[in-house]
Each structure stands twice: as structure tokens, then as C-alpha cells.
Amino acid sequence: MRKVQFYGAISIDGYLATNDERLDWLFKTGGADQAPTADFMQAVDTAIMGRHTYEYTMEQTTDQLINPYNPLTKNIVMTSNPQPSTTNTTFTNADITSIVSQLKNEPGQNIWIVGGSGVLIPLLTADLVDELFIQIAPVLLGDGIPLFTKVDYSHRFELVDTNHYGQLAELHFTR
């Protein structure tokens, strides 16, 4: 069965981005090039993200790929205002837990949860996330867009590995 995996970076105080959606604090953190991102992404054939993450990534990349290590990755963009789909990208306002439940039972590689709490929290609440790879950058933002928001759920994960990549500390949890 396919795994649903969150893979992303946060500040020490738990923020994915600044309030104005900037990530320059992360790009100034040495070590990302040492992380095994290519290995992770080569095992992924589906990426699920919110519209803000999709638009930011498209603005920042020259190759216009969410997953440059597997250009055939199917992208699912969760949005309240779907637009026409493209070859590899589907825009939808369907229930994310239904989408992921169906995908988990289909053949394929792993499913990457990209971006923030709007996508991650409903999946955690429904107990659909198998692994969390959280890289922590040594910066305090004080405010911003949090990875985890307050919701009514409680799930225990097991810490299976910690890694150190330059200035990034990576925690790997499994359900």
C-alpha cells in the first residue's frame, strides 16, 4: 500500500513561512543540499498541496515542476476555486480525505503532502498520514504560517530517526 508522507521544513517555533508567505529564512539556512530530498522524491508519484503552495512553487521554479526528480508526478491542488486541469495537475475542491483514501488503495508510489495545515490537518485528523519528515531550521520567526493548527485530535507517532544536514535537523516519524 502507498504511504502518505509529509516532507517539509519549519522554523524552531513551528512556522512554514512568514505571514506574507516568504521562505527566504529557509533558503538562507545551509544544509538543504545535504538532505536526501532526491531519494524521497524519486519514491513519490503524487503530490497534494494547497493553491498557495502550488502558486508559490510555480513562481519560484524555472522548470515548472513540483517534483523535479519525477517529472511525471501527478499534482493535486486543493482550492476553493478549481480551474481547468493540465496534463499533470488537477485542481479540485473535493474532500481531501476521500481523495487520499482512494489514492492509498490504488497502485503507485508514495503520496507527498506538500505545504501547510490546510492540507495536512484534515489528513492527520482522519489518521491518513503514515510518515512525517520535518526539517527544523535554526531560526525563530515569532509569527507566520504554522505547520500545525489547533484541532481536536490526538495521534501518537513513533520517532524512528533523526538526521543532521548542515544547519537543518530532520525528525522522521511513523504512525
Side-chain angles (χ1 to χ4, degrees), residues 50-160:
R51 182 182 54 82
H52 292 291
T53 299
Y54 175 78
E55 289 175 354
Y56 179 84
T57 303
M58 291 299 103
E59 288 173 10
Q60 299 300 313
T61 60
T62 56
D63 57 15
Q64 298 295 285
L65 296 172
I66 298 294
N67 182 356
Y69 301 98
N70 182 353
L72 299 179
T73 296
K74 178 181 175 184
N75 303 307
I76 300 172
V77 179
M78 306 306 299
T79 178
S80 59
N81 188 20
Q83 53 189 312
S85 298
T86 64
T87 303
N88 289 339
T89 303
T90 300
F91 299 88
T92 183
N93 60 0
D95 177 61
I96 190 168
T97 59
S98 298
I99 291 170
V100 171
S101 292
Q102 179 180 339
L103 287 170
K104 280 187 80 154
N105 292 312
E106 294 176 358
Q109 293 179 283
N110 295 331
I111 301 162
W112 175 28
I113 306 306
V114 186
S117 63
V119 175
L120 181 60
I121 296 302
L123 297 174
L124 285 170
T125 301
D127 203 22
L128 290 171
V129 178
D130 299 300
E131 293 183 297
L132 300 165
F133 293 86
I134 302 174
Q135 296 172 351
I136 303 170
V139 61
L140 292 166
L141 295 178
D143 196 11
I145 300 169
L147 174 58
F148 299 106
T149 56
K150 184 176 179 181
V151 292
D152 186 23
Y153 69 88
S154 176
H155 297 290
R156 181 162 296 279
F157 283 79
E158 179 181 348
L159 176 63
V160 294

Side-chain angles (χ1 to χ4, degrees), residues 2-22:
R2 303 166 80 175
K3 290 181 184 177
V4 176
Q5 303 169 306
F6 172 83
Y7 185 92
I10 60 173
S11 63
I12 293 172
D13 47 355
Y15 296 107
L16 287 168
T18 60
N19 281 325
D20 57 354
E21 301 177 4
R22 289 189 359 261

Side-chain angles (χ1 to χ4, degrees), residues 13-34:
D13 47 355
Y15 296 107
L16 287 168
T18 60
N19 281 325
D20 57 354
E21 301 177 4
R22 289 189 359 261
L23 295 174
D24 54 331
W25 60 272
L26 178 59
F27 300 139
K28 293 176 184 175
T29 304
D33 58 332
Q34 298 169 27

